[in-house]
Amino acid sequence: MHIAAFLLSSLIAINSVSSISVNDNNLLLPVSSFSHFCNNGYASLQTKLDTLKSIRSTPNSHSTSTPEQQYELTRRRIEEEGRIERALKTWPLGQHGLETKSTYESAVKKFKAIALLAPTMKESHCKLGLAYFVNGDYFNAKHSILKGLEIDSGDIDLNILMGQILLLEHSNVKSCSHFDKVLKLEGTDNINNNMPIEAHLGKAVCSANSS
């Protein structure tokens, strides 16, 4: 009942959802509510780096690789370690840019570099998409978020961001599909029952627009 009452009051507070377009700044949800999305990316990068270093430092006596192949594999791992280390150093600067309105463009540059350094990490594309999003570049935001969803189609933050962007495009049915994907996780064994309010609100708005 409390959630329903909140959603109803939120919907009433929104002047007119149908008036939102990609040409104005009337975002459905405050930009500040998204700055924490994909914050686990830094920890994921650190875990990736630790794993690479652990593999490289552990001799594999059962390897059938030739010395040349082993050398090439080690070289590639060292190069990847270097890229991940640079991404880790850049991440806090990008996050600071997201949290400071006057430096949104700087956040785009930082997370663009991180996405190039760690292209297989969904969080890299999520943060770059978010940086574009808060900077008002919805086209590139959508492109980056889609890259993240290709890596993990069930990621909560990525689906909420995509749902929000689709709302701005008036693609309400598609928007609802992303919010539905998030809300279906509610109550499962590995998901906290307190789903992000953005998912509940987004679902309510896209449903209202589709009816």
Side-chain angles (χ1 to χ4, degrees), residues 6 80 162:
F6 174 82
E80 186 174 6
M162 181 57 72

Side-chain angles (χ1 to χ4, degrees), residues 131-196:
Y132 279 126
F133 175 68
V134 299
N135 206 38
D137 185 349
Y138 306 130
F139 176 82
N140 280 312
K142 185 177 181 180
H143 180 69
S144 294
I145 293 167
L146 281 172
K147 281 188 175 182
L149 287 170
E150 287 175 1
I151 297 171
D152 184 359
S153 62
D155 184 84
I156 290 176
D157 290 349
L158 285 165
N159 275 289
I160 291 177
L161 285 172
M162 181 57 72
Q164 168 67 100
I165 289 174
L166 290 169
L167 276 179
L168 292 171
E169 294 181 348
H170 307 293
S171 298
N172 297 301
V173 174
K174 290 182 179 180
S175 176
C176 273
S177 71
H178 286 279
F179 292 124
D180 282 336
K181 187 175 291 188
V182 172
L183 294 174
K184 283 179 182 178
L185 296 173
E186 191 167 20
T188 58
D189 292 339
N190 60 336
I191 298 295
N192 193 305
N193 283 327
N194 297 319
M195 295 300 290

